[in-house]
Amino acid sequence: MGPVQLAAALWFMPVLVGEAASQNLIRNPTEQKQEHLLLISEVNADNPGDDTSEYVELYHTSGRQAPLDGYHLVFYNGNGNVAYRVKDLTGFSTDSHGFFLVGSATVTPRPSVILPKNTIQNGPDAIAVYFGRGLFSEGMRVTSEGLVDALVHKSKNSDRADDLVNTLTPGVDPYLEDPLFRTLDESLERCQGRDSHWFFQVASPTPGSENHCVPFAQLNASMVLISEVRVVSSPGEFEFVELQGPSSTDLKDLVLVLVAGSDQKIYFAMEVAGRTSPDGLLLIGPGQAETQVDVPFPPNSSIPLLKAGLNAVALYMGVNSSFASGSVASTPNLLDALVYTTVENTDSEPLDILSAGRPVFYRSERSQQSNSSMNRCVCCSTTRDPSVYALGKPTPRHFNDCPKKRFSQEISFCLQGAGCLQNSPEQHFIVMFLAQALEKQCSCGVSPAHFRDAAVACQGPDLVFSALLMARSAEQLTSLRQAFSLFLETKEVVGFGGRNGTVATSCSRDTSVTEVLPATPEKPGTTKTSPTPQVELLINEVNPDNPGAREDTEYVELFYPGLVPFDLRNYWLVLYNGKNNLAYKVVNLTGHHTDDRGYFLVGSDGVTPKPSIVLPPNTIQNGVDAVALYHSTTSSYQTNMVLTDKGLVDAVVYKSRGSEKADRLLAVLAPGQSVLYEDDSHSSQDESLSRCHSLRPRHHDSFQVTAITPFQENACPPPGSSSTEDVAHNHSVLINEVGLTNSSAPYHFIELKGTPGASLNGYSLEFFSSQDHKPYASIPTKGTFGGDGLFVLLSEQQSRPGKAPDQLVMPSVWRDLSAQQQFHAVAVASHALQTHNGTLATGQSLEDVVAFTLKPSASQGHLGFLGPIHVVSGTGKWPVSLSRCSSCTTTFAVSEATPGSENSCPQESFSVVLGICLQTPNCSMWSQTPLILAGLQKVLVDSVEEECSCGVSMCYLQGLNFTCFNSILKLSGQLWARSPKQLQGFTKWQDDFAKSPRLFVVDGKPLRSSLSCSVSDRMVQSEASFQTWEIALAVLGSILLALLLTGAALYFIKRKPQNYVTIEMNDRCEIMSGV
């Protein structure tokens, strides 16, 4: 390089560096390492009538006052994709809560930046927030450079804005500000979903304040609930009960009932009929009060009407004459109830029937003296639960005053010596105790609703409690912090559920995790008895290496052997690189949960079924590497972090080549064990490392190489087999039918199936209840299978028509089943594999197992190694059976009893083709996930059983699927029956289904059956046809216009005189042509 070029380069260098810095600032604003961002919080672009109340609400995630220097707010026109308005926010700041308003002058509170009326376009358009030194001006093309946040919105379903979406919000469809949402104005508000991702929904406008984020899709179709109750101490104060239900809807056939806690007797009842507000609220109170009520108390009512002490407010469906004064309150037709007390340590047992046994809501003496009411703070499907209420200022006709997440703090403490209560219902009592303890310290109106995401974790003999403590204001949060500090200093001894624990700041070890000691090899010739295993989330299968080079079917499968679906809150999946022992991938599982069989899948998009969390292809390294599962309420796991065992729950260290070592990974994650080898010579197809031999965490001997089985039971060989190609459950003795009764001895008979003539000596039936891994009874089997391969065990008090039982059982043996237990199971076990300390060796000695519940209201799911739970309805004729049916993916179906003969199973030859349409507020809420399909399946099965009482279970519904268009969810599939008579009942059920409007809730999403499929199809076809005619008319009009313009142009040319020069030239041409 010459001197001239060098000088030029040096001269240009600062310019290039400055330009590059500027470009980089725009392209990647996050490199400024800003701790907080400015987000679009709420948009109201379309008002009823003239658009005079438009606004955009921005929110700074710090939650406090913040300067907005460097930010620009840009409004894009979807017609042309250019900016029609740009606002430089330099020099402005958010308010003390982080909010900033841009909008019309009529908006309250007054916006910091005033826009002329009708400025914000209705859509399809977009609003975007940028940060950086870019050139932002009106007329600019849409860009993603410097983009911080964006919202693409529309006001009609048919609107499209593909270019805006592709640039600003790829993969997210425009949000609809639906004017039909409510009769008054509405807005689009930002909310946070269960998966911690942000989304927008239609809501009531809340400019300059926190979004309510009420699940309005549920609220607009929810049952009627008790929303707010104010109990007063003097006649001059305004007492009221406020209900919450569908928006702008006439309510009738409701009765408000007040119940005394001393004797459980009704002391007041009144019929409720009125129209809810646009926000779904109905106010009941004194007719002579200054605040106008929708439904007044009867004129002769005592004042005050709501009593102090232990009492209840209940809402029933029915008529007033059914609730006579002095009669005892009951649960039939009960919609909701709030049990409250104004006296500390009150025995609430008399009213437990109304609150379903949940802790009573406590109002302290000081809170009674303050201006407060009991506000529901959880919507909308939770009923009869006092813990969802919080004390707040009275808000009749308005949304309730509830604790807010922006005024919150994570808290935890230890109860030393309290014992392990993880996943125990006593957690509710701990929350109630803590609320009362803090209320004693601060008298600031603390209730269980102030604690979000409460959890307990076991740590040896101690118990760790953690939660998010929320407040209604910054002042209340300060008081709660001080009260919690004083509470920790008391070192109080707490008693609950027969256990005692001493309050401490922390336990002897890390208070944030459930710690499980790694397995260590035992010395040859020694025996070791183990306690009953603790249920833990486990790594169940790992497939890091696929055949060839595609690497697009990698996955890690998790499994929870307890009651499911299991919430994965505070769990983390971390992938470690064996070369540097650093984390190369971290997956936060909060916001997810297992499916109803206990499985959860993280993997590539080529895996079938699709994983719940999708990773890019070739993410999971082949080895020598590790997969680790952590649980912590305080720790945060990050990419490139150093290998750690803090919060470790389970781990797998693996390799794909024989010479690789992983000393450091093993020392931390699986001490004393060997690296697992994913041997690709096992099969010409794909293979995986599968958990087969036990449910012990961090135990490599539990794994072996098998065929891949994502979202399914692992393809493990049967016990004693060396082959890995045999499928699990290839057992010689199966449970074929379980006869059940509704008496104190639930078992009527048990039918086994096996090889004809084979002996049953060496086998036994093991009986379990709840989640206890230890059987409460055992019956050794004696005899041989008959010529049909069946063997029946029958109670001595029962008889089998036409044939004697193969083995009689004393009724007292299986009468031990406690009616208080929700879940039960019976298993066939082989004596060749003994139990340890009275507990079966999980997954080893069981030949077959059936788990069930006789309580239809109980949660469905999985009982760990006892298998999936089958729900047996108590509405049909007894006895009934759980029968093994080849047509069932769940193996067993509810049917009539057929001991010693062929099982009665649903058949395709007796089937009804489903054609059911349901109304939904928004099709975008529905996605084809196993959880949604299972929820829809349960809703339909429950509806069928309710009408026919003929023993219907999930197995009867086959091939369920759905499509959604224009707020109509159309279900398809088949409903199989066992007989022609049952088929007639199914046909009648489907005919009646659409005639009577019903409300269903699936995974928190509302559905209403108020429309037949034929009507909805005509509506959809009509709308689609209308859109087609619109397009056809537009095209035809364009063609006619083009023809008209062409004709006019020709006419004009003919009429206009020719140019003189042209004429002369044409004459010359003619002369030349004649020469």
Side-chain angles (χ1 to χ4, degrees), residues 914-929 932-933 935-937 939-940 960-972 993 1000-1003 1005-1014 1016-1017 1020:
L914 291 179
I916 295 175
C917 288
L918 303 169
Q919 287 182 308
T920 177
N922 192 342
C923 275
S924 64
M925 300 163 55
W926 299 94
S927 56
Q928 294 272 4
T929 65
I932 293 295
L933 286 171
L936 289 169
Q937 189 177 22
V939 161
L940 293 180
L960 181 65
N961 210 331
F962 68 85
T963 57
C964 196
F965 183 74
N966 280 0
S967 298
I968 301 297
L969 193 78
K970 185 172 183 178
L971 304 180
S972 59
F993 189 82
F1000 305 99
V1001 178
V1002 176
D1003 193 32
K1005 305 175 181 64
L1007 291 168
R1008 189 181 294 276
S1009 63
S1010 60
L1011 200 63
S1012 68
C1013 264
S1014 58
S1016 64
D1017 286 344
V1020 172

Side-chain angles (χ1 to χ4, degrees), residues 49 139 143 218 252 258 287 311 315 329 336 411 508 603 656 660 686 725 758 781 802 874 906 924 963 979 981:
T143 179
Q218 299 174 39
K252 59 181 180 179
L258 304 183
N311 295 284
L315 185 67
D336 196 13
I411 63 168
S508 57
S656 57
E660 299 180 78
D686 204 359
E725 296 180 0
T781 54
S924 64
T963 57
S979 64
K981 181 179 180 181

Side-chain angles (χ1 to χ4, degrees), residues 530-547:
S530 302
T532 301
Q534 180 177 322
V535 178
E536 268 290 8
L537 182 68
L538 300 168
I539 297 172
N540 195 50
E541 188 178 358
V542 180
N543 183 13
D545 190 15
N546 307 143

